[in-house]
């Protein structure tokens, strides 16, 4: 197996909080593997760790909500990245509201979108969720400094990374 670290160590991409709801189960986690992957039609893919409860809930969900965080929202990043939904109901610790199709929208997120799950892709230890955006909002404007990978290196994951 080739070590990709010499390449990926140079990256500093946005971090996201992905939330899911299915059959009354709520879940959410901090995600670094995500990107727009098509312009026409617009599509976005998020990759969730198979070890994470959010992945198990997302497997049954029709929609996922993808949130950006500001660089100063370390508390939210720690909650969704450092706690596991297997032991903590993260949604009792943050204000949120129901969004399109029963999705879970974090009130404090400066921007978010909800996407309908079009397909799921096995990517090894992660599952990719291909999303067709249905609704989006930007409450912060275009100059908000976003939370990135380098801002989260001190968060110990709620589940092991591998």
């Amino acid at each position: 197996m080739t070590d990709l670290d010499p390449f990926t160590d140079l990256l500093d991409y946005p971090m996201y909080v992905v939330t899911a709801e299915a059959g009354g189960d709520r879940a959410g986690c901090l995600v670094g593997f995500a990107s727009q992957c098509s312009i026409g039609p617009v599509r976005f893919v998020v990759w969730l760790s198979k070890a994470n409860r959010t992945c198990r809930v997302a497997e049954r969900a029709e929609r996922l909500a993808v949130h950006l965080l500001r660089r100063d929202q370390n508390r939210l990043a720690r909650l969704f990245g450092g706690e596991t939904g297997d032991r903590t109901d993260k949604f009792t610790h943050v204000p949120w509201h129901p969004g399109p199709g029963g999705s879970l929208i974090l009130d404090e997120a400066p921007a978010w979108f909800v996407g309908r799950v079009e397909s799921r892709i096995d990517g090894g230890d992660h599952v990719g969720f291909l999303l067709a955006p249905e609704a989006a909002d930007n409450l912060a404007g275009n100059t908000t400094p976003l939370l990135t990978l380098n801002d989260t290196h001190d968060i110990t994951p709620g589940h092991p990374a591998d």
Side-chain angles (χ1 to χ4, degrees), residues 43-60:
R43 295 294 181 266
F44 197 93
V45 66
V46 295
W47 294 90
L48 303 179
S49 170
K50 290 178 181 178
N52 196 311
R53 181 174 184 278
T54 303
C55 186
R56 295 188 300 274
V57 174
E59 287 282 5
R60 299 179 284 120

Side-chain angles (χ1 to χ4, degrees), residues 5-135:
D5 288 348
F7 179 84
T8 58
D9 285 350
L10 296 174
L11 302 177
D12 188 26
Y13 41 79
M15 298 296 286
Y16 307 87
V17 172
V18 175
T19 58
E21 188 283 331
D25 290 334
R26 302 180 302 201
C29 65
L30 190 65
V31 171
F33 302 153
S35 178
Q36 183 173 345
C37 58
S38 177
I39 297 170
V42 175
R43 295 294 181 266
F44 197 93
V45 66
V46 295
W47 294 90
L48 303 179
S49 170
K50 290 178 181 178
N52 196 311
R53 181 174 184 278
T54 303
C55 186
R56 295 188 300 274
V57 174
E59 287 282 5
R60 299 179 284 120
E62 294 180 16
R63 289 170 181 79
L64 300 180
V66 180
H67 306 79
L68 288 168
L69 299 181
R70 290 185 319 273
R71 181 162 281 144
D72 65 356
Q73 290 183 298
N74 194 265
R75 181 186 63 79
L76 277 176
R78 286 189 180 286
L79 175 64
F80 283 94
E83 298 291 330
T84 172
D86 294 324
R87 292 187 296 271
T88 302
D89 180 354
K90 300 171 191 180
F91 297 94
T92 63
H93 300 283
V94 295
W96 64 275
H97 64 275
S103 58
L104 306 164
I105 307 299
L106 302 178
D107 292 350
E108 297 174 25
W112 57 266
F113 83 90
V114 172
R116 181 178 33 81
V117 177
E118 286 210 329
S119 65
R120 294 163 176 88
I121 306 134
D122 188 331
D125 60 3
H126 283 66
V127 175
F129 293 82
L130 181 65
L131 305 176
E134 294 182 329

